[in-house]
Amino acid sequence: MTSERIATLNVDEKVIELPVLTPTHGNDCIDIRALGNKAGMFTYDSGFLSTASCKSAIAYIDGDKGELLYRGYPIEQLAEQCNFLEVAYLLKNGELPTIAQKTAFENTIRKHTLVHDQLTRFYNGFRRDAHPMAVMTGVVGALSAFYHDAMNFSEVGHRNMSFHRIIAKLPTIVAMAYKYNSGLPFMYPRNDLGYVENFMYMMFGTPCEEYKPNPVLARALDVIFILHADHEQNASTSTVRLAGSSGANPFACIAAGIACLWGPAHGGANEACLKMLEEIGDVSRVGEFIERAKDKRDPFKLMGFGHRVYKNFDPRAKLMRKVCRDVLAELGLENDRLFKLALALEKIALEDEYFIEKKLYPNVDFYSGIVQKAIGIPTSMFTCIFALARTSGWMAQWEEMLTDPEYKIGRPRQLYIGAARRDVVPLEKR
């Protein structure tokens, strides 16, 4: 990152000079940190659409090219050649692990998969029909009440312990949320299974019979985890960073991220895709709904198509498209009503000039929802799966922020548009 160039701003005949920072990839950034002192002004950027809120070396998106990099590595290569824990290691440490590092990291994660037994009773405080994301937000936030022996986050050992604990325990917590919601007994983790296989065992296993994870389905979930591990400074990641900037413990920060992710405009898109398919109902009605999507007067929207960041094909969608077909073929669901409908919708959208011109390609949410439903994960759990995967990125972002020498507590400014200063009129005169 360099700052050899200077941007000038003319304010009331006064010239303000501001350095221009050049990143490895992406747009140059005007450093406005001194603007308030130099000009007595702030910038206004609702939604932070033109504001870099931090420096980060973790992930980079090029929406025009349809490119996503984790620590410089293309997401396609990581999804094809690595497993999720290798990617989690990469996000935290900046480099892919060697064989020895991979083995040690996986063994460390296995040692932390159990949750405190008293925490399992915490679930009983929720209504049986509570949304799993509500349960997750509460349980993850409560982890700080059980694991408070490593809270000096200026020490790398304490940060490592927090990272290992939360990456290891999220699958257990998510699976328990599912079991509780379903009225089924909790399944404790097995250290002889891999990360994804262990999660599937805790989700779908019962004490009544032996459960063996299907390797095709396990690989599909592994890819979903990798593709959702990080995505630059989105709303939930920014929430984690802002919460963490106050010095809050990482369990509270991740709970805040989960709460933000729960919003339908963020992590609920794949659940919305399935609901849309149920609304369409049959292949014979696809044309009708395609026309409705084109009609500006009609409030109906095709969920799972297009992306706010990607102005090209979402690179994660290309990978999920193949995974989707592998899963449907493995389970013999090519002719299932809902999946036939999804594939018909995809075909028309990819060939229709309107969608091509608008670049409304199927995104990762469209395919991941189909895959998760095929695997047997209920739609209410989709965002929990998203949160499980994204926690690796959130924790990497949290640690990066804490170790940044320019780290400060977040304190956005505002453009105040309320009443001007005025005096209170005594009650009897109002």
Side-chain angles (χ1 to χ4, degrees):
M1 184 182 67
T2 60
S3 58
E4 297 175 356
R5 295 163 56 206
I6 297 292
T8 59
L9 178 67
N10 295 315
V11 180
D12 299 330
E13 299 182 355
K14 182 180 180 181
V15 177
I16 308 296
E17 293 188 342
L18 300 168
V20 176
L21 307 179
T22 302
T24 307
H25 293 298
N27 296 343
D28 289 350
C29 296
I30 300 172
D31 185 348
I32 63 168
R33 285 174 291 179
L35 183 61
N37 289 333
K38 287 184 176 182
M41 292 183 176
F42 302 136
T43 57
Y44 175 68
D45 183 19
S46 179
F48 309 108
L49 301 183
S50 298
T51 298
S53 61
C54 64
K55 294 182 300 183
S56 182
I58 295 173
Y60 171 71
I61 300 167
D62 189 321
D64 293 327
K65 290 182 181 178
E67 182 178 69
L68 172 60
L69 307 177
Y70 289 173
R71 298 285 191 179
Y73 293 105
I75 191 66
E76 296 89 344
Q77 295 179 22
L78 293 171
E80 290 168 2
Q81 301 180 47
C82 303
N83 67 25
F84 174 69
L85 284 186
E86 288 177 84
V87 171
Y89 183 98
L90 167 70
L91 292 174
K92 182 184 188 303
N93 298 295
E95 298 294 340
L96 286 167
T98 63
I99 294 174
Q101 289 169 334
K102 177 178 181 290
T103 300
F105 182 65
E106 290 177 346
N107 286 338
T108 299
I109 295 300
R110 284 192 184 96
K111 292 176 183 176
H112 291 287
T113 52
L114 273 174
V115 295
H116 196 289
D117 192 58
Q118 289 181 0
L119 189 69
T120 64
R121 302 172 203 166
F122 197 79
Y123 287 83
N124 292 326
F126 295 96
R127 282 175 52 123
R128 187 62 80 176
D129 59 353
H131 194 288
M133 282 293 283
V135 175
M136 268 193 72
T137 303
V139 174
V140 171
L143 287 175
S144 59
F146 293 87
Y147 304 102
H148 43 70
D149 57 333
M151 290 291 183
N152 182 4
F153 304 123
S154 62
E155 291 190 12
V156 64
H158 285 206
R159 295 197 303 271
N160 288 343
M161 178 66 77
S162 296
F163 184 90
H164 295 150
R165 279 174 168 166
I166 203 159
I167 296 301
K169 297 180 192 306
L170 252 292
T172 309
I173 289 169
V174 171
M176 285 180 168
Y178 169 67
K179 290 294 194 183
Y180 182 75
N181 189 257
S182 305
L184 297 170
F186 294 156
M187 297 295 287
Y188 289 92
R190 280 176 45 185
N191 288 350
D192 61 318
L193 295 175
Y195 189 83
V196 175
E197 290 81 2
N198 191 29
F199 172 64
M200 294 179 69
Y201 165 77
M202 291 188 289
M203 279 282 289
F204 303 120
T206 70
C208 307
E209 57 189 4
E210 184 180 5
Y211 175 82
K212 292 183 178 179
N214 181 311
V216 174
L217 306 188
R219 180 55 186 157
L221 263 184
D222 199 45
V223 171
I224 286 176
F225 289 175
I226 291 171
L227 299 186
H228 289 84
D230 200 81
H231 210 237
E232 241 190 52
Q233 303 307 315
N234 51 76
S236 57
T237 299
S238 298
T239 298
V240 170
R241 276 184 172 263
L242 190 58
S245 74
S246 72
N249 71 77
F251 306 115
C253 297
I254 298 305
I258 291 170
C260 180
L261 187 69
W262 192 8
H266 192 2
N270 46 19
E271 185 175 348
C273 290
L274 267 294
K275 289 180 179 178
M276 175 195 70
L277 292 175
E278 291 287 3
E279 182 184 355
I280 296 174
D282 188 79
V283 173
S284 63
R285 302 185 66 198
V286 168
E288 169 194 340
F289 280 85
I290 290 283
E291 292 306 313
R292 286 185 59 187
K294 296 178 185 180
D295 188 349
K296 294 181 180 179
R297 298 166 299 178
D298 194 317
F300 173 78
K301 290 184 179 180
L302 274 184
M303 303 303 298
F305 290 81
H307 195 279
R308 181 179 180 181
V309 175
Y310 297 108
K311 307 308 177 189
N312 205 317
F313 212 105
D314 183 341
R316 302 169 301 168
K318 294 180 180 178
L319 296 161
M320 280 307 305
R321 187 183 185 191
K322 180 183 182 304
V323 168
C324 181
R325 279 155 174 71
D326 291 344
V327 168
L328 296 184
E330 174 70 14
L331 298 175
L333 291 173
E334 300 96 330
N335 294 317
D336 178 90
R337 177 187 62 85
L338 203 62
F339 300 124
K340 282 184 69 175
L341 172 57
L343 297 177
L345 186 62
E346 173 206 47
K347 184 175 187 297
I348 292 175
L350 288 174
E351 296 173 354
D352 191 287
E353 289 185 8
Y354 175 86
F355 290 92
I356 295 171
E357 180 184 345
K358 301 278 187 184
K359 296 184 177 179
L360 297 174
Y361 304 110
N363 59 36
V364 69
D365 297 310
F366 180 79
Y367 296 109
S368 67
I370 297 170
V371 170
Q372 290 182 70
K373 183 172 178 61
I375 290 173
I377 299 170
T379 54
S380 62
M381 290 294 300
F382 285 0
T383 315
C384 297
I385 302 297
F386 193 160
L388 192 169
R390 185 57 58 83
T391 295
S392 59
W394 286 336
M395 287 298 292
Q397 298 271 353
W398 169 80
E399 182 170 20
E400 182 182 61
M401 178 199 63
L402 288 183
T403 55
D404 184 347
E406 297 178 356
Y407 148 67
K408 293 180 177 64
I409 184 172
R411 188 20 174 119
R413 298 295 185 166
Q414 66 173 13
L415 177 63
Y416 176 69
I417 58 171
R421 187 191 185 281
R422 50 185 172 171
D423 296 321
V424 176
V425 177
L427 179 61
E428 63 274 9
K429 295 183 180 181
R430 290 179 211 163

